[in-house]
Amino acid sequence: MTDAIRAMYINCTLTPSPGESHTDLLIEASANILRKQGVEVEVVRAVDHALAPGVQHDMTEEGASEDAWPALWQRVLAADILVLATPIWLGDASSVFRRVIERLYAESAELNDRGQSIFYGKVGGVLVGGNEDGMKHVAREAVYSLQHIGYAIPPQVDTGWVGEAGPGPSYGDEAEDGSRAGVDNEFTNKGVTIMAWNLLHFARMLRGGIPTEGNDRNAWEQGERFGFEQPEPR
Amino acid sequence: MTDAIRAMYINCTLTPSPGESHTDLLIEASANILRKQGVEVEVVRAVDHALAPGVQHDMTEEGASEDAWPALWQRVLAADILVLATPIWLGDASSVFRRVIERLYAESAELNDRGQSIFYGKVGGVLVGGNEDGMKHVAREAVYSLQHIGYAIPPQVDTGWVGEAGPGPSYGDEAEDGSRAGVDNEFTNKGVTIMAWNLLHFARMLRGGIPTEGNDRNAWEQGERFGFEQPEPR
Amino acid sequence: MTDAIRAMYINCTLTPSPGESHTDLLIEASANILRKQGVEVEVVRAVDHALAPGVQHDMTEEGASEDAWPALWQRVLAADILVLATPIWLGDASSVFRRVIERLYAESAELNDRGQSIFYGKVGGVLVGGNEDGMKHVAREAVYSLQHIGYAIPPQVDTGWVGEAGPGPSYGDEAEDGSRAGVDNEFTNKGVTIMAWNLLHFARMLRGGIPTEGNDRNAWEQGERFGFEQPEPR
Amino acid sequence: MTDAIRAMYINCTLTPSPGESHTDLLIEASANILRKQGVEVEVVRAVDHALAPGVQHDMTEEGASEDAWPALWQRVLAADILVLATPIWLGDASSVFRRVIERLYAESAELNDRGQSIFYGKVGGVLVGGNEDGMKHVAREAVYSLQHIGYAIPPQVDTGWVGEAGPGPSYGDEAEDGSRAGVDNEFTNKGVTIMAWNLLHFARMLRGGIPTEGNDRNAWEQGERFGFEQPEPR
């Protein structure tokens, strides 16, 4: 059905498929909620795709031997909802997460047919999992970057799981007593639920797009200022 | 008119009134756009108010000799749009900005009559000005914190001005040749315009609130899970 | 004894004395190691001092009704070791921590009698405690800011404790079973130990100061370039 | 001469050799100062090396088809000074920078023959260049990460260049009037000079290593506590 809301999760684990990813478990918890509401969900493991370094649309035109981004970009474009999901290393997101941000950023000069950023009308969120500390730091990077290029950020769309300071199990790891780390964490589970639904609510709300006043960059280029005046010192 | 959209700008400068604030100039550039659209604008300089340290609603109940937050909080509650505006020191936001975040955070357990975060239906953005570097770092803090407690973040609502690396003029400072730093910066001016309008578009869109599925915390407390299931390892 | 190494811990809790501070407990764990080595330790709770907002040495000269910084600054100056200790709120350091950074930064134009930053020869570190997530984000702020103004940062001088994602006990809080959160965390305890000793090793190493080649700002002002040449494009 | 101080600069540009790198220009400004003092300088462009994703020493043992890290690691080990140099994209360091941090972090369990982190005795710094904003944010990441794994951070070893907010020239770009962006920026040039010399001063100072009290992890494993005692609540 072409009218279904589409959601794309980009798993930024460092582990290629079919290796196990703790981040995948978080993604599934979230994606299952959306699937039940008829959302078409796609999960992509970015490290499986040869995303060339660079900030142009197609790095093969700049000399790279291969670049999976142009194909992946079409799928990003087709999705109403984008969720970046990443593990934590040394308190920050993975290099793969960073690579995805770079490639998204490289598209930020693209406009839709209303003169707005090509990302307008889409919504974004972030899932973070680590064995310890760094969830909010990573969420800052994701939420900031997505809104800066044109995604809308519904309320409370950052969540995940981290354990106590120091080495320890990652999300979903089984302990000696058979319990699995994080999976019954009330805070995480509630966060995952709120996030999934708020992404859906906003994706529906934005299906008709965002009004163009103020953000039509073609009009700005042609001299329209939408009421802006240079501030005068007092 | 009670139906007008209301916007509140909190200027987090370290300089008490009536001292000059470069941040005020950025605020005026933004607020003027909103005023022309009939938005009721309020600008508050946080440092003029004795915001006690602490993370309770009213710190006088915890022993503080005074606390201006409870009164200020009523005004935050009344506003559809909240813009945090701050200078930069050593690459980060001011201590006053941080104090405001702490006090907002202290209200994050409050729910509206639908069981949602009290901030639902409101939208937030950030204005940052400094003589050099740090704009995006500060915007990360603002955008992240606001969405985490319940504000919606429209696209491209972080903007401001910083100069070249090293000491130099702040936004609006007059040079020897009579020019004023930053005020004719095309990037900043376009950013201020897009931001103001997107805040307005989303404030209007959210006037009816956000659907409660998934984010009704009272329902969650009573056992409703909105389709959430614990993830199973593969 | 005037030759003893001196260490200053600034507790950036939001709670005035004599209120309980979890951060104090971390400080004591660290300070006790130094005291056993003959270090003269001073612990200051910044919120007990009326540190005026602003980035000048003495804000009473700018109109503030009071300012405890000039007196506190003398004690900072006397210390070989500075440890910033802070709780976490919404994933970042406290507003009091930020205020201390602002006031330290305001002194960064001061030079010692060798033309170097007044902070040269001193060493810095950071202790962070929260009930969840944010330790490394805060440590970034502290370590970066201290080295930027002139402190040396020995290896591995960031440590602390945070619990699992979500609400929960803070460091030292007693559970129903009588155990206390974090105090037997091996990672934290080892980190506290390494940090205290490395601060001491480096404070001793730097007692004679840092050679002035390259960093004598008076010489730079007078035209000395210490071998610097503008880079030429290839 | 085997006793010469060795410095390694890792250029984290996204552009493979022999493409032009603005970051290289900053590196040369810094490296030239060190070369004049007899330091053996090596400059590596990380993107030229196939650094596999992952946090193990040799990812070919985990299934990667190739991994240039083990060879590069030997060169990192041989250097007394490590400078991470990176461009800025969307206010943060490059994905290549992040990859390098991940691989360094993966070695952090390695100990030297004194039971200390393998990085003890080495010093680190950071050079950042972008067309606008983000220098200090990136420096936070670098300085924090390096000290956390065992590098010492001399004072004032973060520097670089960024221009005014908005699109514009990068470091070294030639303008129509023949001037080149940033190269005569006094702040940057002084920063580059101070940084180079402080790295050198500390590398010399640490040639004999760091005393082992408190940081000998083998001793800790065997029960030595170096004076650490669990803190007692008041």
Side-chain angles (χ1 to χ4, degrees), chain A residues 36 120 136 140-141 144 147-148 150 153 155-158 180 183-184 186 189 193-194 197-198 201 213-215 220 226-231 233, chain B residues 36 120 136 140-141 144 147-148 150 153 155-158 180 183 186 189 193-194 197-198 201 213-215 220 226-231 233:
Chain A
K36 290 179 186 174
Y120 272 42
K136 294 192 181 75
R140 276 171 171 82
E141 300 285 348
Y144 170 76
Q147 72 83 31
H148 189 79
I153 311 296
Q156 303 186 303
V157 291
D158 70 300
R180 290 190 302 122
V183 296
D184 57 0
E186 178 84 356
N189 294 348
T193 305
I194 291 176
W197 278 97
N198 283 355
H201 295 322
E213 284 165 294
N215 55 45
W220 180 276
F226 301 106
F228 173 81
E229 295 175 272
Q230 281 191 17
Chain B
K36 290 179 186 174
Y120 272 42
K136 293 192 182 74
R140 276 172 171 82
E141 301 285 348
Y144 170 75
Q147 71 83 32
H148 189 78
I153 310 296
Q156 304 185 304
V157 291
D158 71 299
R180 291 191 302 124
V183 297
E186 179 82 357
N189 294 347
T193 305
I194 291 175
W197 278 96
N198 284 355
H201 294 321
E213 284 165 293
N215 55 44
W220 180 276
F226 302 105
F228 173 81
E229 295 175 273
Q230 282 191 16

Coordinates of all heavy atoms in Angstrom, one line a residue, chain A residues 36 120 136 140-141 144 147-148 150 153 155-158 180 183-184 186 189 193-194 197-198 201 213-215 220 226-231 233, chain B residues 36 120 136 140-141 144 147-148 150 153 155-158 180 183 186 189 193-194 197-198 201 213-215 220 226-231 233:
Chain A
K36 N 3.0 -3.1 14.1 CA 1.6 -3.4 14.5 C 0.6 -2.3 14.1 O -0.6 -2.5 14.1 CB 1.5 -3.6 16.1 CG 2.2 -4.8 16.6 CD 2.1 -4.9 18.1 CE 3.0 -6.0 18.6 NZ 3.0 -6.0 20.1
Y120 N 12.3 18.0 4.8 CA 11.0 18.5 5.4 C 9.9 17.5 5.2 O 9.7 16.9 4.2 CB 10.6 19.8 4.8 CG 11.3 21.0 5.4 CD1 12.6 21.0 5.8 CD2 10.6 22.2 5.7 CE1 13.2 22.1 6.4 CE2 11.1 23.3 6.3 CZ 12.5 23.2 6.7 OH 13.1 24.3 7.3
K136 N 23.1 9.8 26.4 CA 22.6 11.2 26.2 C 23.6 11.9 25.3 O 23.1 12.8 24.5 CB 22.3 11.9 27.5 CG 21.2 11.3 28.3 CD 20.8 12.2 29.4 CE 19.7 11.6 30.3 NZ 20.2 10.5 31.2
R140 N 22.4 13.6 21.8 CA 22.6 15.0 21.4 C 23.0 15.1 19.9 O 22.5 15.9 19.2 CB 23.7 15.6 22.2 CG 23.3 16.1 23.5 CD 24.5 16.5 24.3 NE 24.2 17.2 25.6 CZ 23.8 16.6 26.7 NH1 23.7 15.3 26.7 NH2 23.6 17.3 27.7
E141 N 24.0 14.3 19.6 CA 24.6 14.3 18.2 C 23.5 14.0 17.2 O 23.4 14.7 16.2 CB 25.7 13.3 18.1 CG 26.9 13.5 19.0 CD 27.8 14.6 18.6 OE1 27.6 15.1 17.5 OE2 28.6 15.0 19.4
Y144 N 20.4 16.7 17.2 CA 20.9 17.9 16.7 C 21.0 17.9 15.2 O 20.6 18.7 14.4 CB 22.2 18.4 17.3 CG 22.8 19.5 16.6 CD1 22.2 20.8 16.8 CD2 23.8 19.4 15.7 CE1 22.7 21.9 16.1 CE2 24.2 20.5 15.0 CZ 23.7 21.7 15.2 OH 24.1 22.8 14.4
Q147 N 17.7 17.5 13.1 CA 16.9 18.7 13.0 C 17.6 19.8 12.2 O 16.9 20.6 11.5 CB 16.4 19.2 14.4 CG 17.5 19.9 15.2 CD 17.8 21.3 14.9 OE1 16.9 22.1 14.5 NE2 19.1 21.7 15.1
H148 N 18.9 19.8 12.3 CA 19.7 20.8 11.5 C 19.5 20.7 10.0 O 19.5 21.7 9.3 CB 21.1 20.7 11.9 CG 21.9 21.9 11.4 ND1 21.9 23.1 12.0 CD2 22.8 22.0 10.4 CE1 22.7 24.0 11.4 NE2 23.3 23.3 10.4
G150 N 16.9 19.2 8.6 CA 15.5 19.3 8.1 C 14.5 18.3 8.7 O 13.3 18.5 8.4
I153 N 11.7 16.8 15.0 CA 12.0 15.9 16.2 C 10.8 15.9 17.1 O 10.6 16.9 17.8 CB 13.3 16.3 16.9 CG1 14.4 16.6 15.9 CG2 13.6 15.3 18.0 CD1 14.9 15.3 15.2
P155 N 8.6 15.0 20.5 CA 9.1 15.0 21.9 C 9.5 13.6 22.3 O 8.9 12.6 21.8 CB 7.9 15.4 22.7 CG 6.7 15.4 21.8 CD 7.2 15.5 20.4
Q156 N 10.6 13.5 23.0 CA 11.0 12.3 23.7 C 11.3 11.1 22.7 O 10.8 10.0 22.9 CB 9.9 11.9 24.8 CG 9.7 13.0 25.8 CD 8.8 12.7 26.9 OE1 7.7 12.3 26.7 NE2 9.3 12.9 28.1
V157 N 12.1 11.4 21.8 CA 12.5 10.4 20.8 C 13.9 9.9 20.9 O 14.5 9.5 19.9 CB 12.1 10.8 19.3 CG1 10.6 10.9 19.1 CG2 12.8 12.1 19.0
D158 N 14.5 10.1 22.1 CA 15.8 9.5 22.4 C 15.6 8.5 23.5 O 15.1 8.8 24.5 CB 16.8 10.6 22.8 CG 16.5 11.2 24.2 OD1 15.4 11.7 24.3 OD2 17.4 11.0 25.1
R180 N 18.4 -11.4 31.3 CA 19.1 -10.7 30.2 C 19.1 -9.2 30.5 O 18.1 -8.5 30.8 CB 18.4 -10.9 28.9 CG 18.6 -12.4 28.5 CD 18.1 -12.7 27.0 NE 16.8 -12.4 26.9 CZ 16.3 -11.5 26.0 NH1 17.1 -10.9 25.2 NH2 15.0 -11.2 25.9
V183 N 16.6 -5.8 29.3 CA 15.3 -6.0 28.6 C 14.1 -5.8 29.5 O 13.0 -5.5 29.0 CB 15.2 -7.4 28.0 CG1 16.3 -7.5 26.9 CG2 15.3 -8.5 29.0
D184 N 14.2 -5.8 30.8 CA 13.1 -5.5 31.6 C 13.2 -4.2 32.3 O 12.6 -3.9 33.3 CB 12.8 -6.6 32.6 CG 14.0 -6.9 33.5 OD1 15.0 -6.3 33.4 OD2 13.9 -7.8 34.4
E186 N 12.4 -0.8 33.0 CA 11.1 0.0 32.9 C 11.3 1.3 32.1 O 10.5 1.7 31.3 CB 10.5 0.2 34.3 CG 9.2 1.0 34.3 CD 8.0 0.1 34.0 OE1 8.2 -1.1 33.8 OE2 6.9 0.6 34.1
N189 N 12.0 0.6 28.4 CA 10.8 0.1 27.7 C 9.7 1.1 27.5 O 9.1 1.2 26.5 CB 10.2 -1.1 28.5 CG 11.1 -2.3 28.5 OD1 12.1 -2.3 27.8 ND2 10.9 -3.3 29.4
T193 N 8.6 2.8 23.9 CA 7.2 2.9 23.5 C 6.8 4.4 23.1 O 6.2 4.6 22.1 CB 6.3 2.4 24.6 OG1 6.8 1.1 25.0 CG2 4.9 2.4 24.2
I194 N 7.1 5.3 24.0 CA 6.8 6.7 23.7 C 7.4 7.2 22.4 O 6.8 7.8 21.6 CB 7.3 7.6 24.9 CG1 6.5 7.3 26.2 CG2 7.2 9.1 24.5 CD1 6.9 8.1 27.4
W197 N 5.7 5.7 19.2 CA 4.4 6.4 18.9 C 4.5 7.8 18.5 O 3.8 8.3 17.7 CB 3.5 6.2 20.2 CG 2.8 4.8 20.2 CD1 3.3 3.8 20.9 CD2 1.6 4.5 19.5 NE1 2.4 2.7 20.7 CE2 1.4 3.1 19.9 CE3 0.8 5.1 18.7 CZ2 0.3 2.4 19.4 CZ3 -0.3 4.4 18.2 CH2 -0.5 3.1 18.5
N198 N 5.4 8.5 19.2 CA 5.5 10.0 18.9 C 6.1 10.1 17.4 O 5.7 11.1 16.7 CB 6.4 10.7 19.9 CG 5.6 11.0 21.2 OD1 4.4 10.7 21.2 ND2 6.3 11.5 22.2
H201 N 3.0 9.5 15.4 CA 2.0 10.6 15.4 C 2.5 11.8 14.5 O 1.7 12.4 13.8 CB 1.9 11.2 16.9 CG 1.2 10.2 17.8 ND1 0.2 9.4 17.4 CD2 1.5 9.9 19.1 CE1 -0.2 8.6 18.5 NE2 0.6 8.9 19.5
E213 N 6.0 29.3 4.2 CA 6.4 30.6 4.6 C 7.6 30.6 5.4 O 7.7 29.8 6.4 CB 5.3 31.3 5.4 CG 4.1 31.8 4.5 CD 2.9 32.1 5.4 OE1 2.4 31.1 5.9 OE2 2.5 33.3 5.5
G214 N 8.6 31.4 5.1 CA 9.8 31.5 5.9 C 10.9 30.5 5.5 O 12.1 30.8 5.7
N215 N 10.5 29.3 5.0 CA 11.5 28.3 4.7 C 11.7 27.9 3.3 O 12.4 26.9 2.9 CB 11.2 27.0 5.6 CG 9.8 26.5 5.3 OD1 9.4 26.4 4.2 ND2 9.1 26.2 6.4
W220 N 13.7 32.9 -0.9 CA 14.8 33.7 -0.3 C 15.8 34.1 -1.3 O 16.3 35.3 -1.3 CB 15.4 32.9 0.9 CG 16.5 33.6 1.6 CD1 17.8 33.7 1.2 CD2 16.4 34.4 2.8 NE1 18.5 34.5 2.1 CE2 17.7 34.9 3.1 CE3 15.3 34.7 3.7 CZ2 17.9 35.7 4.2 CZ3 15.6 35.5 4.8 CH2 16.8 36.0 5.0
F226 N 10.4 37.4 4.1 CA 9.4 36.8 5.0 C 9.3 37.6 6.3 O 9.1 37.0 7.4 CB 9.7 35.3 5.3 CG 9.7 34.4 4.1 CD1 10.9 34.0 3.6 CD2 8.5 34.1 3.5 CE1 10.9 33.1 2.5 CE2 8.6 33.2 2.4 CZ 9.8 32.8 1.9
G227 N 9.5 38.9 6.2 CA 9.4 39.7 7.5 C 10.7 39.9 8.2 O 10.7 40.7 9.2
F228 N 11.7 39.3 7.8 CA 13.0 39.5 8.5 C 13.6 40.9 8.2 O 13.6 41.4 7.1 CB 14.1 38.5 8.0 CG 15.4 38.8 8.5 CD1 15.8 38.4 9.8 CD2 16.4 39.5 7.8 CE1 17.0 38.7 10.3 CE2 17.6 39.8 8.3 CZ 17.9 39.4 9.6
E229 N 14.0 41.5 9.3 CA 14.7 42.8 9.2 C 16.0 42.7 10.0 O 15.9 42.1 11.1 CB 13.8 43.9 9.7 CG 12.6 44.2 8.9 CD 11.7 45.3 9.5 OE1 10.9 44.9 10.4 OE2 11.9 46.5 9.2
Q230 N 17.0 43.4 9.6 CA 18.2 43.4 10.4 C 18.0 44.1 11.7 O 17.4 45.1 11.8 CB 19.4 44.1 9.7 CG 20.0 43.2 8.6 CD 21.3 43.9 8.0 OE1 21.8 44.8 8.7 NE2 21.7 43.4 6.9
P231 N 18.5 43.5 12.8 CA 18.2 44.1 14.1 C 19.0 45.4 14.3 O 20.1 45.5 13.7 CB 18.8 43.0 15.1 CG 19.8 42.2 14.3 CD 19.3 42.2 12.9
P233 N 20.7 48.1 16.9 CA 21.2 48.3 18.3 C 20.3 49.3 19.0 O 19.8 50.2 18.4 CB 22.6 48.7 18.2 CG 22.8 49.3 16.8 CD 21.7 48.6 15.9
Chain B
K36 N 5.1 40.2 13.9 CA 4.4 40.6 12.7 C 3.3 39.6 12.3 O 2.4 39.9 11.6 CB 5.4 40.7 11.5 CG 6.3 41.9 11.6 CD 7.3 41.9 10.4 CE 8.3 43.0 10.5 NZ 9.3 42.9 9.5
Y120 N 4.2 18.7 26.4 CA 3.6 18.3 25.1 C 2.7 19.4 24.5 O 1.9 20.0 25.2 CB 2.8 17.0 25.3 CG 3.6 15.7 25.1 CD1 4.9 15.7 25.7 CD2 3.1 14.6 24.4 CE1 5.6 14.5 25.6 CE2 3.9 13.5 24.3 CZ 5.1 13.4 24.9 OH 5.8 12.2 24.8
K136 N 27.2 25.3 17.5 CA 26.6 24.0 17.3 C 26.6 23.2 18.6 O 25.7 22.4 18.9 CB 27.2 23.2 16.1 CG 26.9 23.9 14.8 CD 27.3 23.0 13.6 CE 27.1 23.7 12.3 NZ 28.1 24.7 12.0
R140 N 23.3 21.7 20.4 CA 23.1 20.3 20.8 C 22.4 20.2 22.2 O 21.5 19.5 22.4 CB 24.4 19.6 20.9 CG 24.9 19.1 19.6 CD 26.4 18.6 19.8 NE 26.9 17.9 18.6 CZ 27.4 18.5 17.6 NH1 27.5 19.8 17.5 NH2 27.8 17.7 16.6
E141 N 23.0 21.0 23.1 CA 22.5 20.9 24.5 C 21.1 21.4 24.6 O 20.2 20.7 25.2 CB 23.3 21.9 25.4 CG 24.8 21.6 25.4 CD 25.2 20.4 26.3 OE1 24.3 19.9 27.0 OE2 26.3 19.9 26.2
Y144 N 18.6 19.0 22.4 CA 18.4 17.7 23.1 C 17.6 17.8 24.3 O 16.7 17.0 24.5 CB 19.8 17.1 23.4 CG 19.7 15.9 24.3 CD1 19.3 14.7 23.8 CD2 19.8 16.0 25.7 CE1 19.1 13.6 24.6 CE2 19.6 14.9 26.5 CZ 19.2 13.7 26.0 OH 19.0 12.7 26.8
Q147 N 13.8 18.5 23.7 CA 13.0 17.4 23.2 C 12.9 16.2 24.3 O 11.9 15.5 24.3 CB 13.5 16.8 21.9 CG 14.8 16.1 21.9 CD 14.7 14.6 22.3 OE1 13.7 14.0 22.0 NE2 15.7 14.1 23.0
H148 N 13.9 16.1 25.1 CA 13.9 15.1 26.1 C 12.8 15.3 27.1 O 12.3 14.3 27.6 CB 15.3 15.0 26.7 CG 15.5 13.8 27.6 ND1 15.8 12.6 27.1 CD2 15.4 13.7 29.0 CE1 15.9 11.7 28.1 NE2 15.6 12.3 29.3
G150 N 10.0 17.0 26.5 CA 8.7 17.0 25.9 C 8.4 18.0 24.9 O 7.3 18.0 24.3
I153 N 10.6 19.7 18.4 CA 11.6 20.5 17.7 C 11.4 20.5 16.2 O 11.6 19.5 15.5 CB 13.0 19.9 18.0 CG1 13.2 19.6 19.5 CG2 14.1 20.8 17.4 CD1 13.2 20.8 20.4
P155 N 12.0 21.5 12.3 CA 13.3 21.4 11.5 C 14.0 22.8 11.6 O 13.3 23.8 11.5 CB 12.9 21.1 10.1 CG 11.4 21.2 10.0 CD 10.9 21.1 11.4
Q156 N 15.3 22.7 11.7 CA 16.2 23.9 11.5 C 15.8 25.1 12.4 O 15.7 26.2 12.0 CB 16.1 24.4 10.0 CG 16.5 23.2 9.1 CD 16.6 23.6 7.6 OE1 15.6 24.1 7.1 NE2 17.7 23.3 7.0
V157 N 15.8 24.8 13.7 CA 15.5 25.8 14.7 C 16.7 26.1 15.6 O 16.5 26.5 16.7 CB 14.3 25.4 15.6 CG1 13.0 25.5 14.7 CG2 14.4 24.0 16.2
D158 N 17.9 25.9 15.0 CA 19.1 26.3 15.7 C 19.8 27.3 14.8 O 20.1 27.0 13.7 CB 20.0 25.1 16.1 CG 20.7 24.6 14.8 OD1 19.9 24.1 13.9 OD2 21.9 24.6 14.7
R180 N 28.6 46.6 11.4 CA 28.4 45.9 12.6 C 28.5 44.4 12.4 O 27.9 43.8 11.4 CB 27.0 46.3 13.2 CG 27.0 47.7 13.7 CD 25.8 48.1 14.5 NE 24.6 47.9 13.7 CZ 23.6 47.1 14.0 NH1 23.6 46.5 15.2 NH2 22.6 47.0 13.2
V183 N 25.5 41.3 11.5 CA 24.1 41.6 11.2 C 23.7 41.4 9.7 O 22.6 41.3 9.4 CB 23.7 43.0 11.7 CG1 23.9 43.1 13.2 CG2 24.6 44.1 11.0
E186 N 24.4 36.5 5.7 CA 23.3 35.9 5.0 C 22.8 34.6 5.7 O 21.6 34.3 5.8 CB 23.7 35.6 3.6 CG 22.7 35.0 2.7 CD 21.7 36.0 2.1 OE1 21.8 37.2 2.4 OE2 20.8 35.5 1.3
N189 N 20.9 35.3 8.9 CA 19.6 36.0 8.7 C 18.6 35.0 8.1 O 17.5 35.0 8.5 CB 19.8 37.2 7.7 CG 20.6 38.3 8.4 OD1 20.9 38.2 9.6 ND2 21.1 39.2 7.6
T193 N 15.2 33.5 10.1 CA 13.9 33.5 9.4 C 13.3 32.2 9.4 O 12.1 32.0 9.8 CB 14.1 34.1 8.0 OG1 14.7 35.4 8.1 CG2 12.7 34.3 7.4
I194 N 14.0 31.2 8.9 CA 13.5 29.8 8.9 C 13.1 29.3 10.2 O 12.0 28.8 10.4 CB 14.6 28.9 8.3 CG1 14.8 29.2 6.8 CG2 14.1 27.4 8.5 CD1 15.9 28.3 6.1
W197 N 9.8 31.0 11.6 CA 8.6 30.5 10.9 C 8.3 29.1 11.2 O 7.1 28.7 11.4 CB 8.7 30.7 9.4 CG 8.4 32.1 9.0 CD1 9.2 33.1 8.7 CD2 7.1 32.6 8.7 NE1 8.5 34.3 8.4 CE2 7.2 34.0 8.3 CE3 5.8 32.1 8.7 CZ2 6.1 34.8 8.0 CZ3 4.7 32.9 8.4 CH2 4.9 34.2 8.1
N198 N 9.3 28.2 11.3 CA 9.1 26.8 11.6 C 8.5 26.7 13.0 O 7.7 25.8 13.3 CB 10.3 26.0 11.4 CG 10.5 25.7 9.9 OD1 9.7 26.1 9.0 ND2 11.7 25.1 9.5
H201 N 4.9 27.6 12.6 CA 4.1 26.5 11.9 C 3.8 25.4 12.8 O 2.7 24.9 12.8 CB 4.9 26.0 10.7 CG 5.1 27.0 9.5 ND1 4.2 27.9 9.1 CD2 6.2 27.2 8.8 CE1 4.7 28.6 8.1 NE2 5.9 28.2 7.9
E213 N -1.9 8.0 22.4 CA -1.4 6.6 22.3 C 0.1 6.5 22.5 O 0.9 7.2 21.8 CB -1.8 6.0 20.9 CG -3.2 5.7 20.8 CD -3.6 5.4 19.3 OE1 -3.5 6.4 18.6 OE2 -3.9 4.3 19.0
G214 N 0.5 5.7 23.3 CA 1.9 5.4 23.5 C 2.6 6.3 24.6 O 3.6 6.0 25.2
N215 N 2.1 7.6 24.7 CA 2.7 8.5 25.6 C 1.9 8.9 26.8 O 2.3 9.8 27.6 CB 3.2 9.8 24.8 CG 2.0 10.4 24.1 OD1 0.9 10.5 24.7 ND2 2.2 10.8 22.8
W220 N 0.3 3.9 31.2 CA 1.5 3.0 31.3 C 1.5 2.5 32.8 O 1.7 1.3 33.0 CB 2.8 3.7 30.9 CG 4.0 2.9 31.1 CD1 4.7 2.7 32.2 CD2 4.6 2.1 30.0 NE1 5.8 1.8 31.9 CE2 5.7 1.4 30.6 CE3 4.3 1.9 28.7 CZ2 6.6 0.6 29.9 CZ3 5.2 1.0 28.0 CH2 6.3 0.4 28.6
F226 N 0.7 -0.4 25.0 CA 0.6 0.2 23.7 C 1.4 -0.6 22.6 O 2.0 -0.1 21.7 CB 1.2 1.6 23.7 CG 0.5 2.5 24.6 CD1 1.1 2.9 25.8 CD2 -0.8 3.0 24.3 CE1 0.5 3.8 26.7 CE2 -1.4 3.9 25.2 CZ -0.8 4.3 26.4
G227 N 1.3 -1.9 22.8 CA 2.0 -2.8 21.8 C 3.4 -3.1 22.1 O 4.0 -3.9 21.3
F228 N 4.0 -2.6 23.1 CA 5.4 -2.9 23.4 C 5.5 -4.3 23.9 O 4.7 -4.8 24.8 CB 5.9 -2.0 24.5 CG 7.3 -2.4 25.0 CD1 8.4 -2.0 24.3 CD2 7.4 -3.2 26.1 CE1 9.7 -2.5 24.7 CE2 8.7 -3.6 26.6 CZ 9.8 -3.2 25.8
E229 N 6.5 -5.0 23.4 CA 6.9 -6.4 23.9 C 8.4 -6.4 24.1 O 9.1 -5.9 23.3 CB 6.5 -7.4 22.9 CG 5.0 -7.5 22.7 CD 4.7 -8.6 21.6 OE1 4.6 -8.1 20.4 OE2 4.5 -9.7 21.9
Q230 N 8.8 -7.1 25.1 CA 10.3 -7.3 25.3 C 10.9 -8.0 24.1 O 10.3 -9.0 23.6 CB 10.6 -8.0 26.6 CG 10.4 -7.2 27.8 CD 11.0 -7.9 29.0 OE1 11.7 -8.9 28.9 NE2 10.6 -7.4 30.2
P231 N 12.0 -7.4 23.6 CA 12.6 -8.1 22.5 C 13.2 -9.4 22.8 O 13.7 -9.7 23.9 CB 13.7 -7.1 22.1 CG 14.1 -6.4 23.4 CD 12.8 -6.3 24.2
P233 N 16.0 -12.4 21.9 CA 17.2 -12.6 21.1 C 16.9 -13.6 20.0 O 16.1 -14.4 20.1 CB 18.2 -13.2 22.1 CG 17.4 -13.7 23.3 CD 16.1 -12.9 23.2

